[in-house]
Amino acid sequence: DAEGLLHALETHAWDEESGYYGFVLHDQAWAPTGLLRNHQGLNLNCGFDGIYPLVAGGGKAPHQERLLSHLKREDELLTPYGLTAVSQSAPYFSLQGYWNGGVWYPHAWYFGRALLDCGEGEFLHELVTRQLNQWCGQARDRWNSYEMLRLASGEGAWHASFSGLTSPLLNWAHSLY
């Protein structure tokens, strides 16, 4: 099953131009017909979803360096507060979105594990430090653990009762310190 999925991802979902895996479109017979793109032909999956094969690859993912570069670039997924879910370079990026324009710690856990598998411990430490600094400031100032952080302001947003979403961040803190 894993070999079949890897073959399908590489054959039908990899977008060399963007360096992300895309959403595969199918015809009525379920045969792949290409990737979901905007009217300009740009991949509409430039974010976490488009690099998750890095997590599944356990340090052996195809295109590993290219996928890692999206995590490390401040014009893409890296922000002062952690990782944003959608590349800031994507034409559909929005600071007003819920998923799009937010920093989500549970995903940082999965990408953090992948960073360890890829020998990127130093970058992981930098990433966790960014996240912890912002999260600690929000917890101190607002006395809540929010569902996500808004990239526009660095403030916690949405539900304060979803503290479980910050558990991965607390686990990194425990592991590192």
Side-chain angles (χ1 to χ4, degrees):
D1 288 345
E3 287 178 20
L5 179 57
L6 179 61
H7 175 75
L9 279 170
E10 293 306 310
T11 303
H12 304 295
W14 176 248
D15 180 21
E16 184 64 34
E17 184 178 335
S18 69
Y20 285 93
Y21 289 89
F23 295 115
V24 179
L25 300 173
H26 297 82
D27 63 18
Q28 291 180 344
W30 291 103
T33 60
L35 298 179
L36 181 63
R37 298 179 183 279
N38 70 4
H39 64 281
Q40 297 166 319
L42 300 172
N43 187 340
L44 288 173
N45 197 30
C46 295
F48 283 166
D49 294 338
I51 63 170
Y52 251 109
L54 179 69
V55 173
K60 297 177 184 162
H63 319 289
Q64 180 173 305
E65 291 305 315
R66 188 110 184 255
L67 297 172
L68 284 170
S69 74
H70 296 301
L71 292 174
K72 294 179 174 184
R73 290 182 46 189
E74 292 192 350
D75 64 333
E76 288 212 38
L77 299 173
L78 184 61
T79 77
Y81 316 125
L83 299 173
T84 185
V86 173
S87 173
Q88 298 167 86
S89 298
Y92 51 89
F93 176 77
S94 170
L95 291 173
Q96 283 72 46
Y98 174 72
W99 171 254
N100 188 350
V103 173
W104 294 88
Y105 296 129
H107 297 277
W109 173 262
Y110 294 116
F111 286 112
R113 298 296 306 177
L115 289 170
L116 288 176
D117 290 342
C118 295
E120 294 285 341
E122 195 171 309
F123 175 64
L124 173 60
H125 189 267
E126 175 190 337
L127 178 62
V128 170
T129 300
R130 289 179 187 216
Q131 296 172 144
L132 282 172
N133 287 341
Q134 193 62 22
W135 180 82
C136 288
Q138 286 298 294
R140 180 194 64 236
D141 296 346
R142 299 172 78 196
W143 205 245
N144 278 317
S145 180
Y146 289 92
E147 183 175 4
M148 50 87 91
L149 287 176
R150 288 215 174 274
L151 191 53
S153 64
E155 292 184 341
W158 294 89
H159 300 286
S161 59
F162 287 169
S163 62
L165 291 175
T166 56
S167 295
L169 184 59
L170 297 175
N171 288 336
W172 282 125
H174 182 71
S175 297
L176 293 171
Y177 305 107

